[in-house]
Amino acid sequence: MSSLDEFCTSKAEWRSRLLLQRDELDRSARQADDQVLLPILLDWLAQRELSVVAAYVPVGPEPGAGLPSALREAGLRVLLPIVSGRNPLEWAEYTGPDSLRPAGFGLLEPAGERLGPAGIAQAEVVLVPALAIDHQGVRLGRGAGYYDRSLPFRDPAAETLGIVRDPEFVPSLPGEDHDVRMTSVVTPSRGVVRLPV
């Protein structure tokens, strides 16, 4: 992945390469990453004695398979995002696999009562999907801007923790002023890293 640093200059180039890299990762490697990631994440959350977490349902090759269920089984109240047009994300509580329904973009969303964009303010930490995160906390998402529009609604004291695989934690990414920085990142081999580093 270090070669990506040399050849990718735009967000579009980064996205293209990272998505291809994820698609090429075989299922056993993905599962191995998730088996390491989830216990690290749950331990980190337990040490903070939190009660409400905003998370997401990983799709396809995204790291963190089983994330909402693992969080709920750990005794946490879990809020998941709902895409509503080009607006900031709305949120609803995850109460188990049966509380999810298919949504646009191949996502699964909670079917319960909508808490609106301000629902994220209930979370003490926000777990954020990412294609890559750099050492300064710049997060590269899929480009729709949902999290950049939604994270300003969070409690200012809430941490933003990006979840990526080891090669996706990189020294530098192209960032813009409106990009909301991550306060921490978690990878399988490095665990949780406070940002910037």
Side-chain angles (χ1 to χ4, degrees):
M1 178 76 172
S2 61
S3 63
L4 282 180
D5 292 359
E6 299 167 19
F7 298 111
C8 294
T9 56
S10 73
K11 287 185 175 184
E13 288 172 317
W14 275 100
R15 284 188 187 101
S16 177
R17 297 269 183 121
L18 288 160
L19 287 167
L20 180 62
Q21 181 175 286
R22 278 192 176 175
D23 286 342
E24 290 175 345
L25 193 63
D26 67 49
R27 186 181 176 127
S28 62
R30 293 177 193 172
Q31 290 175 334
D33 278 351
D34 291 337
Q35 289 173 352
V36 174
L37 270 173
L38 289 179
I40 291 169
L41 181 57
L42 293 174
D43 182 57
W44 183 83
L45 292 167
Q47 290 175 26
R48 278 147 185 78
E49 299 180 359
L50 305 176
S51 58
V52 184
V53 175
Y56 61 96
V57 181
V59 293
E62 281 186 319
L67 179 63
S69 293
L71 295 169
R72 189 163 188 270
E73 288 166 13
L76 294 162
R77 181 171 178 240
V78 181
L79 304 179
L80 296 179
I82 299 168
V83 175
S84 178
R86 296 284 300 164
N87 302 311
L89 296 167
E90 295 192 36
W91 301 85
E93 186 170 353
Y94 171 76
T95 58
D98 293 341
S99 70
L100 297 175
R101 65 174 179 224
F105 307 106
L107 302 174
L108 292 172
E109 295 178 341
E113 177 188 353
R114 290 187 180 205
L115 305 173
I120 195 174
Q122 298 176 30
E124 297 154 293
V125 66
V126 182
L127 306 178
V128 185
L131 292 176
I133 295 174
D134 77 11
H135 293 182
Q136 293 74 45
V138 173
R139 170 189 164 269
L140 184 70
R142 291 185 175 258
Y146 285 108
Y147 277 90
D148 287 322
R149 290 192 295 277
S150 303
L151 289 172
F153 288 91
R154 78 189 186 284
D155 180 334
E159 289 216 44
T160 53
L161 177 66
I163 301 175
V164 295
R165 292 194 170 82
D166 294 312
E168 299 164 349
F169 182 37
V170 300
S172 182
L173 288 167
E176 298 172 50
D177 291 342
H178 69 266
D179 294 337
V180 177
R181 304 278 172 123
M182 299 295 99
T183 59
S184 298
V185 63
V186 60
T187 79
S189 72
R190 296 195 59 176
V192 177
V193 178
R194 184 82 178 153
L195 300 172
V197 293

